Amino acid sequence: MSAQITQELQAFGFAKVIVVLKSDASNASASSIKAGIEKHFVVSEYSQTASLAASLDLKTANPAFRYYPNLGVALGTVNRESLASLRADKDFVGSVSGAPQISLIRPAMVANAASSQKKNWGIESLKVKQVWDAGFTGKGIFVGHLDTGVDGSHPALKNAIASFARFDALGREEKPAPKAKDSDEHGTHTAATIAGRTASGVEIGIAPEAMLASAEVIEGGDVVARVLGGMDWAVGKGIKVLSMSLGLRGWWQDFLPLTRLLRARNILPVFAVGNEFAGTSRSPGNYAQALSVGAYDKNIQMADFSCSQRFNRKRDPLVPDLVAPGVDILSARPGGGYQLMSGTSMATPHIAGLAALLWQAKPHATVSQIEKAIFASCTLPANMSMERGNRGVPDAVKALAALL
């Protein structure tokens, strides 16, 4: 049993769980799936849903569970008896895991950008321009971006957002869809690193013609419901890459089934590894099934804050999988300006953007082919240990050649 489930049952008498449905069950209608699994969940007046609704004065029912059809996943509340019946369900239930509250990976540094700064140095470092010159700018590729939101009025982003959604404190999608807005600064920065357009001579985006399906899912409230809602929504938009700079400190297996689901839908999960220094890392970036990203600086040296860890497993034992530009990264700031941020959150969108370039070059590629091409392009610098940088620094030109 998941440690999260055990702890919650001991502490509260009930627990929140993520249920991955059997693949054949996902082919059934939403109404029949809901009817089939509803009996396994319980409503509690002391649950997070009930507490949030009361504290925020939200007039809403207290649902025992929510169903996410594009993922084939349910999120709900159980007690010991209903958990046993859920696990015994051979018709609908594939796996049951906990639902720990993930958090944003905050930048290690935020600073004002000098007015003379006109370029994200990561573009040159990854040799992205040569791929643009070959005709690949991410055009036609949808990238999922789950973060604090995004300022859709920013000159670098106003033509980059194909869809925007906001998931409220209970994880419900707000309708009608609001204007693209950032509840913080983090989301605008990461979004523009993926697909920011050149505006007033400032060049920041790795895939400047890719389109974003961006959602505000964090921070605060029922974060798991918000993130699952955002993932389900983004999958429904036809994304090829999912960029997330959020996670749990340490090893938590609970989101592993979701990462597997993304790959099964031919979506590349690109996740930040965390900013808590060596010997630590974050889930879901910890998983072998994710493409986890660490950070390096302008001197191609490992950023001291960038997480790294070795796991006791035969497949892909080291995280991160590779490193990308993540120190003093120039990108968009809500309100129309630009600023510098450092963190693995800044490195991650570089790789999401690179994947978009490659998918434009080979639209029918599988997620494994895109990932293998990126890995094949990597070189470990002499001044960077494998324990910290793993495969090392990718090269967009080599990745394109490896793919084609």
Side-chain angles (χ1 to χ4, degrees):
M1 185 185 297
S2 161
Q4 180 74 17
I5 297 175
T6 300
Q7 289 172 8
E8 289 188 0
L9 286 174
Q10 289 176 345
F12 310 117
F14 59 85
K16 184 176 290 184
V17 298
I18 298 171
V19 180
V20 176
L21 302 176
K22 289 185 173 180
S23 57
D24 53 349
S26 298
N27 294 327
S29 67
S31 58
S32 63
I33 290 173
K34 289 179 179 179
I37 63 175
E38 184 175 16
K39 60 182 176 290
H40 302 305
F41 297 97
V42 298
V43 173
S44 171
E45 63 179 308
Y46 304 113
S47 69
Q48 185 182 30
T49 300
S51 298
L52 281 169
S55 67
L56 299 175
D57 195 25
L58 297 174
K59 296 180 179 179
T60 181
N62 180 9
F65 75 101
R66 294 185 179 88
Y67 172 55
Y68 303 94
N70 296 318
L71 289 172
V73 165
L75 174 70
T77 305
V78 296
N79 56 27
R80 292 185 185 277
E81 293 74 22
S82 66
L83 175 62
S85 70
L86 184 66
R87 291 186 181 279
D89 188 328
K90 305 301 182 185
D91 295 324
F92 290 98
V93 177
S95 66
V96 181
S97 57
Q101 295 290 306
I102 56 183
S103 61
L104 186 69
I105 299 176
R106 289 282 173 185
M109 182 280 295
V110 180
N112 292 326
S115 58
S116 59
Q117 291 181 274
K118 298 293 184 182
K119 184 180 294 186
N120 168 16
W121 64 265
I123 293 173
E124 182 176 346
S125 182
L126 296 179
K127 301 181 182 177
V128 167
K129 275 201 169 182
Q130 291 93 313
V131 176
W132 296 350
D133 292 341
F136 306 118
T137 55
K139 188 174 184 178
I141 305 302
F142 276 23
V143 179
H145 169 256
L146 303 185
D147 212 297
T148 62
V150 59
D151 178 5
S153 66
H154 194 287
L157 287 163
K158 62 182 180 181
N159 296 317
I161 303 168
S163 298
F164 179 78
R166 182 181 186 275
F167 291 83
D168 70 10
L170 295 176
R172 304 173 301 178
E173 182 183 353
E174 292 188 358
K175 293 185 177 181
K179 290 183 178 179
K181 184 180 179 182
D182 198 342
S183 62
D184 190 80
E185 297 180 327
H186 192 275
T188 297
H189 197 282
T190 56
T193 301
I194 298 170
R197 279 52 172 154
T198 299
S200 301
V202 180
E203 198 171 57
I204 51 178
I206 299 299
E209 289 194 293
M211 298 300 294
L212 297 171
S214 180
E216 180 190 330
V217 299
I218 205 166
E219 295 260 81
D222 186 344
V223 177
V224 175
R226 297 182 75 187
V227 171
L228 284 177
M231 288 177 66
D232 191 72
W233 170 85
V235 170
K237 295 298 180 182
I239 62 170
K240 301 300 293 181
V241 186
L242 179 62
S243 180
M244 293 201 311
S245 297
L246 45 87
L248 291 151
R249 296 186 184 188
W251 173 263
W252 293 81
Q253 66 181 12
D254 303 273
F255 295 105
L256 178 55
L258 298 173
T259 307
R260 287 173 171 160
L261 282 174
L262 291 172
R263 293 190 76 100
R265 284 152 178 73
N266 206 39
I267 297 168
L268 182 64
V270 183
F271 300 151
V273 76
N275 298 339
E276 289 80 44
F277 295 79
T280 61
S281 55
R282 292 226 189 185
S283 302
N286 281 331
Y287 307 146
Q289 292 80 0
L291 197 171
S292 60
V293 187
Y296 70 84
D297 64 19
K298 291 180 183 179
N299 297 318
I300 323 297
Q301 293 183 337
M302 195 78 186
D304 57 0
F305 57 76
S306 187
C307 285
S308 58
Q309 197 159 30
R310 178 178 286 272
F311 289 94
N312 184 26
R313 63 190 184 207
K314 290 183 179 180
R315 180 189 171 190
D316 209 12
L318 292 176
V319 294
D321 285 305
L322 49 75
V323 290
V327 177
D328 292 335
I329 300 301
L330 180 70
S331 193
R333 179 175 58 198
Y338 296 87
Q339 63 184 349
L340 303 175
M341 287 190 183
S342 298
T344 57
S345 290
M346 287 62 255
T348 298
H350 282 81
I351 303 304
L354 172 57
L357 301 180
L358 297 178
W359 241 307
Q360 183 195 358
K362 192 172 183 178
H364 299 296
T366 66
V367 64
S368 292
Q369 288 173 329
I370 296 294
E371 184 179 64
K372 285 179 180 178
I374 295 172
F375 287 170
S377 77
C378 292
T379 301
L380 186 67
N383 62 356
M384 189 181 295
S385 73
M386 183 178 293
E387 291 295 316
R388 294 284 279 132
N390 198 352
R391 295 173 179 85
V393 177
D395 180 309
V397 176
K398 290 181 179 179
L400 179 62
L403 181 65
L404 300 180

